[in-house]
Amino acid sequence: MSGHITGHVTNSAQRKATAAHRRRNRAKGLVRVEIQVPRADAAMLRQLAEMLRSSNVTAEEARAGLKSALETSPQPKSALDIYASGLPDEYFEGVFGRVRTISNRKIDW
């Protein structure tokens, strides 16, 4: 029975410590983010997160570089965006199993 009580005290103490840790982080303006990435990228993203938590010059340079890279290479939002991207038709060859040769719709030219 005493093992159960000790376990309960440990759990309670751990909950209080975790809550205090999260309060301190919120006070610093930090938020918790969970992402899923390929295993090969995990260490790099942990390093990036550690760098971004600091407020040094390196973190500011990394933020500026990342923002610039993301703004210059926006991700397509839909299949229509991909088709409207200006990529040559050859990029789309074989993407779809069959090509429609007859249309069921009447199009007025």
Side-chain angles (χ1 to χ4, degrees):
M1 178 113 175
S2 64
H4 177 68
I5 293 172
T6 305
H8 178 71
V9 172
T10 303
N11 288 337
S12 176
Q14 184 61 47
R15 279 193 304 272
K16 287 180 183 178
T18 300
H21 173 74
R22 290 179 178 164
R23 255 191 318 277
R24 287 190 302 274
N25 282 342
R26 273 195 308 272
K28 294 177 190 176
L30 298 175
V31 295
R32 188 171 173 81
V33 176
E34 180 178 337
I35 58 172
Q36 293 183 347
V37 298
R39 184 180 306 273
D41 295 334
M44 174 186 59
L45 289 173
R46 284 185 187 107
Q47 288 176 326
L48 178 61
E50 185 177 341
M51 180 194 328
L52 292 175
R53 280 191 297 267
S54 70
S55 57
N56 61 25
V57 175
T58 305
E60 292 304 319
E61 290 171 351
R63 278 187 195 93
L66 288 168
K67 284 179 184 177
S68 175
L70 292 172
E71 288 169 359
T72 58
S73 323
Q75 297 297 313
K77 294 180 180 76
S78 70
L80 183 59
D81 291 330
I82 294 171
Y83 282 116
S85 67
L87 291 172
D89 290 342
E90 302 85 59
Y91 280 63
F92 301 103
E93 286 180 10
V95 172
F96 300 103
R98 66 180 179 96
V99 177
R100 185 187 307 185
T101 56
I102 300 172
S103 174
N104 295 333
R105 297 186 308 161
K106 269 194 110 148
I107 300 174
D108 294 328
W109 293 97

XYZ file of all heavy atoms in Angstrom:
845
model
N 0.819 -1.193 0.000
C 0.000 0.000 0.000
C 0.860 1.253 0.000
O 0.543 2.206 -0.661
C -0.913 -0.034 1.219
C -1.760 1.185 1.340
S -3.455 0.706 1.095
C -4.246 2.203 1.419
N 1.989 1.230 0.742
C 2.828 2.424 0.786
C 3.424 2.735 -0.584
O 3.656 3.876 -0.917
C 3.930 2.276 1.827
O 4.788 1.216 1.453
N 3.669 1.696 -1.400
C 4.166 1.925 -2.752
C 3.159 2.716 -3.573
O 3.516 3.574 -4.361
N 1.894 2.428 -3.338
C 0.847 3.135 -4.062
C 0.811 4.608 -3.656
O 0.707 5.489 -4.489
C -0.502 2.464 -3.803
C -1.650 3.176 -4.450
N -1.805 3.215 -5.813
C -2.669 3.883 -3.926
C -2.886 3.928 -6.097
N -3.425 4.338 -4.961
N 0.935 4.880 -2.370
C 0.915 6.260 -1.882
C 2.137 7.006 -2.397
O 2.041 8.123 -2.869
C 0.853 6.301 -0.338
C -0.497 5.748 0.121
C 1.044 7.713 0.171
C -0.603 5.553 1.612
N 3.311 6.367 -2.336
C 4.531 6.996 -2.830
C 4.384 7.314 -4.306
O 4.749 8.389 -4.762
C 5.754 6.081 -2.604
O 5.812 5.757 -1.222
C 7.022 6.745 -3.050
N 3.816 6.385 -5.070
C 3.592 6.616 -6.497
C 2.675 7.805 -6.727
O 2.900 8.614 -7.608
N 1.660 7.918 -5.891
C 0.717 9.025 -6.013
C 1.410 10.351 -5.726
O 1.211 11.322 -6.438
C -0.471 8.815 -5.066
C -1.460 9.930 -5.111
N -2.277 10.147 -6.193
C -1.732 10.909 -4.216
C -3.015 11.214 -5.953
N -2.716 11.683 -4.762
N 2.248 10.396 -4.704
C 2.976 11.621 -4.356
C 3.915 11.996 -5.493
O 3.995 13.146 -5.901
C 3.745 11.457 -3.019
C 4.645 12.638 -2.770
C 2.770 11.258 -1.881
N 4.604 11.004 -6.056
C 5.506 11.263 -7.164
C 4.731 11.811 -8.350
O 5.139 12.774 -8.980
C 6.260 9.985 -7.567
O 6.953 9.493 -6.426
C 7.226 10.243 -8.685
N 3.586 11.203 -8.659
C 2.788 11.684 -9.776
C 2.307 13.108 -9.543
O 2.320 13.928 -10.443
C 1.598 10.753 -10.035
C 2.045 9.436 -10.641
O 3.108 9.356 -11.240
N 1.221 8.423 -10.476
N 1.882 13.397 -8.327
C 1.417 14.736 -7.992
C 2.569 15.736 -8.102
O 2.411 16.818 -8.664
C 0.839 14.754 -6.585
O 0.466 16.058 -6.223
N 3.715 15.375 -7.581
C 4.887 16.265 -7.660
C 5.306 16.470 -9.108
O 5.658 17.592 -9.511
C 6.037 15.678 -6.858
N 5.255 15.406 -9.879
C 5.628 15.519 -11.293
C 4.646 16.424 -12.041
O 5.051 17.234 -12.860
C 5.680 14.134 -11.942
C 6.155 14.173 -13.376
C 7.562 14.715 -13.512
O 8.456 14.319 -12.780
N 7.752 15.638 -14.425
N 3.350 16.280 -11.748
C 2.348 17.139 -12.395
C 2.577 18.605 -12.051
O 2.500 19.479 -12.909
C 0.940 16.714 -11.989
C 0.421 15.513 -12.777
C -1.073 15.321 -12.562
N -1.458 15.174 -11.173
C -1.500 14.010 -10.514
N -1.203 12.899 -11.129
N -1.854 13.973 -9.256
N 2.894 18.865 -10.775
C 3.153 20.248 -10.356
C 4.403 20.793 -11.035
O 4.426 21.943 -11.477
C 3.321 20.322 -8.834
C 2.029 20.160 -8.087
C 2.256 20.230 -6.594
C 0.977 19.993 -5.836
N 1.192 20.019 -4.385
N 5.442 19.984 -11.133
C 6.684 20.419 -11.794
C 6.437 20.693 -13.281
O 6.919 21.686 -13.835
C 7.770 19.361 -11.628
N 5.665 19.820 -13.925
C 5.356 20.007 -15.347
C 4.534 21.270 -15.547
O 4.798 22.053 -16.462
C 4.597 18.776 -15.892
O 5.420 17.624 -15.723
C 4.246 18.944 -17.354
N 3.548 21.498 -14.706
C 2.709 22.701 -14.809
C 3.555 23.957 -14.612
O 3.399 24.945 -15.343
C 1.573 22.647 -13.788
N 4.467 23.934 -13.652
C 5.333 25.093 -13.406
C 6.250 25.337 -14.603
O 6.458 26.486 -15.019
C 6.158 24.870 -12.136
N 6.788 24.267 -15.170
C 7.654 24.375 -16.344
C 6.887 25.010 -17.509
O 7.384 25.913 -18.186
C 8.166 22.982 -16.727
C 8.918 22.922 -18.001
N 10.203 23.399 -18.122
C 8.571 22.460 -19.228
C 10.608 23.227 -19.368
N 9.632 22.652 -20.054
N 5.664 24.561 -17.736
C 4.859 25.102 -18.835
C 4.478 26.563 -18.582
O 4.440 27.367 -19.511
C 3.616 24.234 -19.053
C 3.975 22.881 -19.636
C 2.780 22.004 -19.839
N 3.207 20.747 -20.446
C 2.485 19.660 -20.485
N 1.272 19.642 -19.960
N 2.945 18.563 -21.046
N 4.199 26.917 -17.331
C 3.900 28.319 -17.001
C 5.091 29.208 -17.305
O 4.950 30.285 -17.886
C 3.540 28.439 -15.514
C 2.080 28.633 -15.236
C 1.783 29.022 -13.794
N 2.537 28.313 -12.769
C 2.218 27.111 -12.281
N 1.162 26.467 -12.720
N 2.950 26.547 -11.350
N 6.290 28.753 -16.912
C 7.507 29.550 -17.185
C 7.710 29.721 -18.688
O 8.057 30.800 -19.154
C 8.733 28.893 -16.554
C 8.800 29.017 -15.036
C 10.150 28.576 -14.483
N 10.503 27.200 -14.826
C 10.132 26.118 -14.145
N 9.392 26.251 -13.056
N 10.516 24.915 -14.515
N 7.499 28.658 -19.446
C 7.662 28.750 -20.899
C 6.644 29.696 -21.518
O 6.971 30.477 -22.417
C 7.593 27.374 -21.554
C 8.889 26.609 -21.396
O 9.931 27.175 -21.102
N 8.820 25.306 -21.601
N 5.385 29.636 -21.065
C 4.365 30.567 -21.572
C 4.757 32.002 -21.262
O 4.580 32.893 -22.087
C 3.005 30.245 -20.970
C 2.219 29.206 -21.744
C 0.752 29.169 -21.334
N 0.532 29.042 -19.908
C 0.455 27.887 -19.248
N 0.586 26.748 -19.897
N 0.238 27.866 -17.958
N 5.286 32.227 -20.068
C 5.705 33.574 -19.683
C 6.828 34.077 -20.597
O 6.948 35.276 -20.838
C 6.171 33.594 -18.219
N 7.630 33.169 -21.124
C 8.708 33.536 -22.067
C 8.185 33.702 -23.488
O 8.935 34.050 -24.390
C 9.791 32.449 -22.081
C 10.553 32.302 -20.801
C 11.542 31.152 -20.945
C 12.178 30.778 -19.631
N 13.049 29.597 -19.768
N 6.900 33.405 -23.699
C 6.321 33.511 -25.030
C 6.528 32.268 -25.879
O 6.352 32.312 -27.095
N 6.882 31.164 -25.256
C 7.101 29.925 -25.999
C 5.807 29.128 -26.090
O 4.980 29.163 -25.186
C 8.169 29.072 -25.311
C 9.564 29.692 -25.193
C 10.484 28.796 -24.378
C 10.149 29.931 -26.575
N 5.631 28.433 -27.204
C 4.494 27.539 -27.378
C 5.019 26.160 -27.739
O 6.090 26.016 -28.311
C 3.509 28.021 -28.470
C 2.871 29.327 -28.069
C 4.185 28.135 -29.810
N 4.235 25.167 -27.424
C 4.613 23.787 -27.712
C 4.103 23.419 -29.099
O 2.952 23.671 -29.434
C 3.996 22.885 -26.644
C 4.452 21.469 -26.693
C 3.936 20.744 -25.458
N 4.211 19.351 -25.557
C 5.383 18.795 -25.264
N 6.356 19.557 -24.816
N 5.572 17.517 -25.406
N 4.967 22.810 -29.921
C 4.616 22.416 -31.276
C 5.028 20.970 -31.470
O 6.143 20.588 -31.129
C 5.347 23.298 -32.315
C 5.061 22.848 -33.729
C 4.988 24.758 -32.125
N 4.106 20.179 -32.000
C 4.441 18.785 -32.303
C 4.376 18.613 -33.808
O 3.405 19.015 -34.447
C 3.458 17.831 -31.639
C 3.777 16.388 -31.919
C 2.840 15.425 -31.229
O 2.223 15.803 -30.228
O 2.724 14.290 -31.714
N 5.422 18.034 -34.382
C 5.461 17.797 -35.819
C 5.938 16.377 -36.079
O 6.559 15.760 -35.219
C 6.390 18.792 -36.544
C 7.814 18.711 -35.998
C 5.861 20.204 -36.427
C 8.824 19.515 -36.781
N 5.653 15.886 -37.258
C 6.165 14.588 -37.673
C 7.012 14.811 -38.916
O 6.548 15.420 -39.886
C 5.024 13.620 -37.953
C 4.270 13.268 -36.702
C 3.183 12.246 -36.967
O 2.832 11.964 -38.099
N 2.652 11.687 -35.898
N 8.245 14.341 -38.858
C 9.187 14.523 -39.956
C 9.928 13.216 -40.191
O 9.942 12.336 -39.321
C 10.205 15.644 -39.647
C 9.503 16.977 -39.465
C 11.022 15.321 -38.413
N 10.578 13.090 -41.339
C 11.406 11.906 -41.547
C 12.497 11.825 -40.471
O 13.014 12.852 -40.016
C 12.025 12.134 -42.928
C 11.093 13.072 -43.610
C 10.536 13.945 -42.524
N 12.830 10.611 -40.087
C 13.825 10.390 -39.031
C 15.132 11.141 -39.325
O 15.754 11.698 -38.433
C 14.089 8.899 -38.888
C 15.042 8.549 -37.754
C 15.285 7.045 -37.654
N 14.057 6.272 -37.542
C 13.450 5.996 -36.389
N 13.954 6.410 -35.260
N 12.346 5.279 -36.367
N 15.515 11.180 -40.591
C 16.778 11.824 -40.968
C 16.775 13.321 -40.668
O 17.838 13.912 -40.475
C 17.052 11.601 -42.455
N 15.596 13.956 -40.611
C 15.506 15.395 -40.365
C 15.292 15.746 -38.896
O 15.371 16.912 -38.522
C 14.358 15.999 -41.177
C 14.598 15.902 -42.667
O 15.777 15.838 -43.077
O 13.607 15.896 -43.425
N 15.013 14.775 -38.058
C 14.644 15.039 -36.665
C 15.736 15.786 -35.902
O 15.455 16.785 -35.235
C 14.289 13.740 -35.951
N 16.971 15.335 -35.994
C 18.058 15.983 -35.244
C 18.247 17.425 -35.705
O 18.429 18.334 -34.887
C 19.358 15.196 -35.399
N 18.180 17.635 -37.012
C 18.347 18.984 -37.544
C 17.240 19.907 -37.039
O 17.499 21.042 -36.634
C 18.329 18.949 -39.076
C 18.358 20.329 -39.703
S 18.162 20.303 -41.491
C 16.575 19.504 -41.690
N 15.991 19.427 -37.025
C 14.895 20.261 -36.566
C 14.961 20.519 -35.066
O 14.570 21.587 -34.602
C 13.562 19.642 -36.970
C 13.312 19.732 -38.479
C 12.064 18.966 -38.867
C 13.205 21.162 -38.931
N 15.465 19.560 -34.311
C 15.673 19.807 -32.875
C 16.709 20.914 -32.670
O 16.556 21.782 -31.812
C 16.117 18.530 -32.169
C 14.993 17.552 -31.954
C 15.448 16.338 -31.131
N 14.398 15.354 -31.077
C 14.416 14.204 -31.738
N 15.458 13.866 -32.481
N 13.415 13.367 -31.640
N 17.785 20.873 -33.453
C 18.804 21.921 -33.366
C 18.229 23.277 -33.766
O 18.509 24.291 -33.131
C 19.993 21.599 -34.268
C 20.856 20.473 -33.767
C 21.970 20.128 -34.758
O 21.789 20.213 -35.964
N 23.115 19.744 -34.224
N 17.427 23.284 -34.824
C 16.798 24.524 -35.260
C 15.885 25.075 -34.172
O 15.921 26.266 -33.868
C 16.014 24.292 -36.551
C 15.260 25.499 -37.101
C 16.216 26.641 -37.441
C 14.457 25.094 -38.324
N 15.071 24.212 -33.564
C 14.173 24.649 -32.490
C 14.963 25.216 -31.313
O 14.596 26.247 -30.746
C 13.293 23.490 -32.027
N 16.061 24.561 -30.978
C 16.906 25.058 -29.880
C 17.461 26.434 -30.217
O 17.474 27.335 -29.378
C 18.041 24.072 -29.620
C 18.901 24.445 -28.426
C 19.978 23.407 -28.158
O 19.858 22.258 -28.628
O 20.943 23.760 -27.462
N 17.893 26.610 -31.457
C 18.439 27.897 -31.876
C 17.361 28.975 -31.846
O 17.589 30.089 -31.374
C 19.017 27.796 -33.287
C 19.604 29.105 -33.779
S 19.950 29.193 -35.551
C 20.369 27.560 -36.013
N 16.161 28.651 -32.325
C 15.090 29.639 -32.382
C 14.577 30.031 -31.001
O 14.022 31.119 -30.835
C 13.936 29.117 -33.249
C 14.253 28.985 -34.732
C 13.081 28.355 -35.472
C 14.637 30.313 -35.353
N 14.744 29.160 -29.999
C 14.340 29.510 -28.636
C 15.206 30.617 -28.065
O 14.783 31.348 -27.177
C 14.407 28.287 -27.722
C 13.209 27.376 -27.859
C 13.179 26.329 -26.762
N 14.314 25.425 -26.795
C 14.337 24.258 -27.419
N 13.274 23.858 -28.090
N 15.384 23.486 -27.390
N 16.412 30.756 -28.573
C 17.282 31.820 -28.069
C 16.939 33.109 -28.791
O 16.219 33.127 -29.776
C 18.752 31.451 -28.297
O 19.051 31.502 -29.671
N 17.462 34.200 -28.298
C 17.180 35.489 -28.951
C 18.481 36.117 -29.430
O 18.628 37.324 -29.424
C 16.447 36.410 -27.983
O 17.219 36.580 -26.814
N 19.420 35.278 -29.847
C 20.700 35.817 -30.284
C 20.690 36.139 -31.775
O 19.718 35.925 -32.479
C 21.850 34.860 -29.926
C 21.701 33.509 -30.604
O 21.080 33.389 -31.637
N 22.276 32.488 -30.006
N 21.775 36.667 -32.253
C 21.895 37.076 -33.649
C 21.726 35.884 -34.589
O 21.075 35.984 -35.629
C 23.254 37.771 -33.891
C 23.447 38.101 -35.356
C 23.359 39.024 -33.039
N 22.275 34.735 -34.233
C 22.166 33.553 -35.077
C 20.703 33.168 -35.279
O 20.296 32.814 -36.387
C 22.935 32.373 -34.457
O 24.275 32.782 -34.214
C 22.948 31.175 -35.367
N 19.899 33.256 -34.229
C 18.474 32.927 -34.333
C 17.767 33.905 -35.262
O 16.946 33.505 -36.086
C 17.824 32.935 -32.953
N 18.094 35.184 -35.146
C 17.471 36.184 -36.018
C 17.862 35.963 -37.472
O 17.038 36.087 -38.376
C 17.849 37.601 -35.566
C 17.257 37.993 -34.230
C 15.737 37.870 -34.203
O 15.074 38.240 -35.190
O 15.198 37.383 -33.187
N 19.118 35.607 -37.715
C 19.567 35.326 -39.080
C 18.862 34.089 -39.626
O 18.453 34.061 -40.793
C 21.084 35.120 -39.120
C 21.870 36.385 -38.866
C 23.368 36.141 -38.698
O 23.797 34.969 -38.603
O 24.098 37.136 -38.663
N 18.701 33.071 -38.786
C 18.010 31.849 -39.215
C 16.560 32.155 -39.547
O 16.038 31.687 -40.562
C 18.100 30.779 -38.125
N 15.888 32.939 -38.709
C 14.496 33.316 -38.973
C 14.374 34.046 -40.307
O 13.498 33.737 -41.118
C 13.962 34.228 -37.869
C 13.487 33.525 -36.662
C 12.817 34.487 -35.672
N 12.708 33.803 -34.413
C 13.612 33.877 -33.433
N 14.667 34.636 -33.564
N 13.442 33.203 -32.330
N 15.259 35.010 -40.528
C 15.210 35.785 -41.773
C 15.442 34.873 -42.982
O 14.736 34.980 -43.993
C 16.247 36.897 -41.738
N 16.407 33.967 -42.887
C 16.692 33.055 -43.985
C 15.547 32.100 -44.254
O 15.187 31.860 -45.410
N 14.954 31.575 -43.186
C 13.823 30.653 -43.353
C 12.610 31.365 -43.944
O 11.958 30.847 -44.849
C 13.448 30.028 -42.004
C 14.437 28.997 -41.468
C 14.108 28.670 -40.014
C 14.408 27.749 -42.321
N 12.321 32.563 -43.445
C 11.178 33.310 -43.981
C 11.383 33.605 -45.457
O 10.475 33.452 -46.264
C 10.988 34.616 -43.204
C 10.363 34.419 -41.843
C 10.218 35.733 -41.119
C 9.684 35.509 -39.723
N 9.584 36.752 -38.952
N 12.589 34.011 -45.811
C 12.894 34.313 -47.211
C 12.742 33.072 -48.078
O 12.150 33.123 -49.154
C 14.312 34.872 -47.324
O 14.659 35.064 -48.666
N 13.274 31.949 -47.622
C 13.182 30.709 -48.393
C 11.732 30.273 -48.560
O 11.334 29.821 -49.636
C 13.988 29.603 -47.717
N 10.924 30.416 -47.526
C 9.523 29.999 -47.603
C 8.703 30.943 -48.476
O 7.783 30.513 -49.168
C 8.911 29.905 -46.208
C 9.475 28.788 -45.343
C 8.952 28.902 -43.911
C 9.157 27.429 -45.924
N 9.029 32.223 -48.454
C 8.289 33.187 -49.271
C 8.627 33.040 -50.747
O 7.772 33.243 -51.597
C 8.582 34.610 -48.803
C 7.936 34.926 -47.476
C 8.421 36.236 -46.875
O 9.288 36.905 -47.489
O 7.945 36.586 -45.787
N 9.869 32.691 -51.074
C 10.251 32.578 -52.479
C 9.841 31.246 -53.075
O 9.811 31.102 -54.285
C 11.771 32.773 -52.669
O 12.467 31.804 -51.895
C 12.193 34.165 -52.267
N 9.534 30.256 -52.265
C 9.097 28.947 -52.763
C 7.795 28.543 -52.091
O 7.777 27.612 -51.310
C 10.136 27.872 -52.461
O 11.417 28.307 -52.564
N 6.701 29.253 -52.365
C 5.450 28.885 -51.706
C 4.987 27.502 -52.136
O 5.211 27.095 -53.263
C 4.464 29.955 -52.164
C 5.034 30.477 -53.430
C 6.531 30.313 -53.325
N 4.386 26.800 -51.221
C 3.859 25.473 -51.498
C 2.537 25.611 -52.238
O 1.727 26.465 -51.902
C 3.645 24.701 -50.189
C 4.915 24.450 -49.422
C 5.875 23.573 -50.202
O 5.470 22.555 -50.745
N 7.128 23.964 -50.285
N 2.294 24.784 -53.255
C 1.014 24.836 -53.953
C -0.131 24.527 -52.992
O 0.014 23.707 -52.100
C 1.117 23.741 -55.011
C 2.521 23.285 -55.010
C 3.180 23.779 -53.779
N -1.255 25.180 -53.202
C -2.395 24.972 -52.322
C -3.366 23.933 -52.865
O -4.130 23.363 -52.136
C -3.111 26.302 -52.109
C -2.274 27.301 -51.352
C -3.029 28.598 -51.158
C -2.231 29.611 -50.401
N -1.192 30.251 -51.146
N -3.334 23.708 -54.171
C -4.252 22.746 -54.763
C -3.666 22.230 -56.064
O -2.668 22.734 -56.555
C -5.605 23.409 -55.033
O -5.466 24.346 -56.086
N -4.350 21.240 -56.641
C -3.915 20.714 -57.937
C -3.992 21.803 -58.996
O -3.149 21.876 -59.887
C -4.771 19.518 -58.330
N -4.974 22.688 -58.887
C -5.094 23.785 -59.839
C -3.868 24.694 -59.781
O -3.357 25.136 -60.804
C -6.368 24.583 -59.572
C -6.659 25.728 -60.528
C -6.781 25.204 -61.965
C -7.922 26.444 -60.127
N -3.367 24.960 -58.569
C -2.157 25.768 -58.429
C -0.970 25.120 -59.124
O -0.143 25.792 -59.725
C -1.805 25.987 -56.948
C -2.806 26.879 -56.242
O -3.395 27.748 -56.912
O -2.993 26.691 -55.033
N -0.888 23.802 -59.042
C 0.214 23.084 -59.683
C 0.116 23.229 -61.194
O 1.087 23.543 -61.865
C 0.214 21.597 -59.273
C 0.516 21.466 -57.782
C 1.238 20.813 -60.105
C 0.323 20.080 -57.234
N -1.094 23.025 -61.748
C -1.268 23.138 -63.190
C -1.046 24.573 -63.668
O -0.579 24.804 -64.768
C -2.656 22.665 -63.623
C -2.762 21.166 -63.664
C -3.613 20.493 -62.819
C -1.986 20.424 -64.550
C -3.703 19.119 -62.850
C -2.071 19.048 -64.579
C -2.925 18.407 -63.737
O -3.003 17.057 -63.764
N -1.385 25.534 -62.849
C -1.230 26.938 -63.227
C 0.174 27.453 -62.936
O 0.453 28.624 -63.109
C -2.263 27.770 -62.474
N 1.065 26.586 -62.531
C 2.389 27.015 -62.099
C 3.331 27.380 -63.235
O 4.393 27.912 -62.995
C 3.045 25.900 -61.272
O 3.314 24.789 -62.112
N 2.977 27.067 -64.458
C 3.867 27.371 -65.555
C 4.859 26.261 -65.843
O 5.756 26.420 -66.671
N 4.724 25.130 -65.165
C 5.603 23.994 -65.446
C 5.284 23.453 -66.839
O 4.131 23.455 -67.253
C 5.401 22.890 -64.410
C 5.882 23.184 -63.007
C 5.434 22.080 -62.054
C 7.393 23.307 -62.965
N 6.291 22.976 -67.559
C 6.039 22.415 -68.887
C 5.130 21.190 -68.799
O 5.108 20.486 -67.791
C 7.427 22.006 -69.381
C 8.399 22.631 -68.462
C 7.694 22.963 -67.196
N 4.367 20.934 -69.866
C 3.435 19.802 -69.899
C 4.130 18.478 -69.628
O 3.538 17.565 -69.066
C 2.717 19.742 -71.247
C 1.742 20.891 -71.423
O 1.376 21.509 -70.403
O 1.355 21.160 -72.566
N 5.403 18.356 -70.010
C 6.130 17.097 -69.812
C 6.172 16.692 -68.330
O 6.264 15.526 -68.002
C 7.581 17.195 -70.315
C 7.734 17.568 -71.772
C 7.711 19.077 -71.996
O 8.551 19.800 -71.429
O 6.829 19.535 -72.728
N 6.126 17.648 -67.429
C 6.164 17.333 -66.004
C 4.946 16.520 -65.567
O 4.983 15.828 -64.572
C 6.233 18.621 -65.176
C 7.613 19.215 -65.091
C 8.269 19.660 -66.220
C 8.261 19.328 -63.874
C 9.531 20.211 -66.160
C 9.523 19.878 -63.801
C 10.154 20.321 -64.941
O 11.401 20.850 -64.865
N 3.855 16.621 -66.324
C 2.616 15.976 -65.930
C 2.340 14.683 -66.691
O 1.349 14.022 -66.431
C 1.446 16.952 -66.096
C 1.637 18.197 -65.278
C 2.040 19.378 -65.874
C 1.446 18.175 -63.909
C 2.231 20.520 -65.118
C 1.640 19.308 -63.148
C 2.032 20.492 -63.747
N 3.230 14.328 -67.613
C 3.044 13.102 -68.374
C 3.114 11.899 -67.437
O 4.011 11.784 -66.624
C 4.104 12.972 -69.468
C 3.867 13.909 -70.630
C 4.933 13.777 -71.710
O 5.749 12.839 -71.644
O 4.950 14.640 -72.601
N 2.145 11.014 -67.563
C 2.122 9.808 -66.746
C 1.570 10.005 -65.350
O 1.476 9.056 -64.579
N 1.189 11.232 -65.007
C 0.648 11.478 -63.669
C -0.720 10.823 -63.537
O -1.035 10.219 -62.515
C 0.552 12.993 -63.384
C -0.196 13.257 -62.087
C 1.939 13.597 -63.345
N -1.519 10.913 -64.582
C -2.838 10.315 -64.556
C -2.829 9.084 -65.436
O -2.188 9.054 -66.478
C -3.894 11.316 -65.022
C -3.937 12.534 -64.142
C -3.369 13.721 -64.566
C -4.507 12.473 -62.889
C -3.382 14.837 -63.748
C -4.525 13.584 -62.063
C -3.958 14.768 -62.491
N -3.554 8.046 -65.034
C -3.543 6.760 -65.717
C -3.988 6.806 -67.171
O -3.387 6.204 -68.030
N -5.031 7.541 -67.438
C -5.495 7.590 -68.820
C -5.838 9.030 -69.169
O -6.229 9.821 -68.323
C -6.696 6.680 -69.037
C -7.935 7.105 -68.309
C -9.093 6.131 -68.594
N -10.258 6.539 -67.859
C -11.231 7.274 -68.364
N -11.184 7.682 -69.606
N -12.271 7.603 -67.625
N -5.726 9.324 -70.417
C -6.047 10.660 -70.902
C -7.425 10.615 -71.538
O -7.715 9.715 -72.334
C -4.995 11.121 -71.944
C -5.369 12.471 -72.506
C -3.619 11.137 -71.316
N -8.267 11.545 -71.197
C -9.612 11.592 -71.748
C -9.515 12.123 -73.184
O -8.968 13.193 -73.417
C -10.499 12.509 -70.926
C -11.932 12.476 -71.405
C -12.812 13.474 -70.733
N -12.754 13.379 -69.299
C -13.522 14.093 -68.498
N -14.396 14.946 -68.995
N -13.428 13.979 -67.203
N -10.022 11.344 -74.113
C -9.985 11.764 -75.518
C -11.337 12.281 -75.973
O -11.433 12.999 -76.954
C -9.544 10.597 -76.438
O -10.426 9.507 -76.218
C -8.125 10.188 -76.132
N -12.409 11.910 -75.278
C -13.755 12.355 -75.617
C -14.331 13.046 -74.406
O -14.286 12.526 -73.285
C -14.650 11.161 -76.008
C -14.055 10.434 -77.212
C -16.071 11.622 -76.274
C -14.780 9.141 -77.534
N -14.902 14.205 -74.638
C -15.510 14.946 -73.546
C -17.020 14.775 -73.573
O -17.620 14.743 -74.646
C -15.155 16.421 -73.652
O -15.849 17.150 -72.667
N -17.642 14.644 -72.455
C -19.084 14.547 -72.349
C -19.725 15.926 -72.306
O -20.938 16.046 -72.306
C -19.495 13.760 -71.109
C -19.044 12.327 -71.201
O -18.901 11.797 -72.282
N -18.830 11.717 -70.050
N -18.901 16.953 -72.203
C -19.426 18.309 -72.094
C -19.380 19.001 -73.443
O -18.459 18.808 -74.222
C -18.603 19.137 -71.106
C -18.657 18.609 -69.707
C -17.960 19.508 -68.736
N -16.602 19.826 -69.187
C -15.887 20.847 -68.748
N -16.406 21.672 -67.876
N -14.675 21.073 -69.169
N -20.379 19.844 -73.692
C -20.359 20.684 -74.880
C -19.715 22.003 -74.498
O -20.079 22.602 -73.492
C -21.775 20.946 -75.384
C -22.269 19.960 -76.386
C -23.500 20.496 -77.043
C -23.108 20.828 -78.435
N -24.044 20.707 -79.456
N -18.763 22.427 -75.277
C -18.078 23.683 -75.002
C -18.336 24.624 -76.173
O -18.088 24.275 -77.328
C -16.576 23.479 -74.817
C -16.337 22.539 -73.647
C -15.876 24.803 -74.607
C -14.900 22.148 -73.459
N -18.880 25.765 -75.869
C -19.105 26.785 -76.905
C -17.842 27.587 -77.070
O -17.312 28.150 -76.126
C -20.267 27.709 -76.522
C -21.591 26.975 -76.483
O -21.759 26.024 -77.275
O -22.444 27.353 -75.653
N -17.363 27.641 -78.285
C -16.132 28.408 -78.554
C -16.484 29.753 -78.993
O -16.767 30.392 -79.713
C -15.260 27.684 -79.561
C -14.727 26.412 -78.999
C -15.232 25.180 -79.172
C -13.584 26.244 -78.175
N -14.487 24.254 -78.506
C -13.453 24.878 -77.886
C -12.644 27.118 -77.630
C -12.454 24.356 -77.109
C -11.637 26.588 -76.865
C -11.545 25.233 -76.602
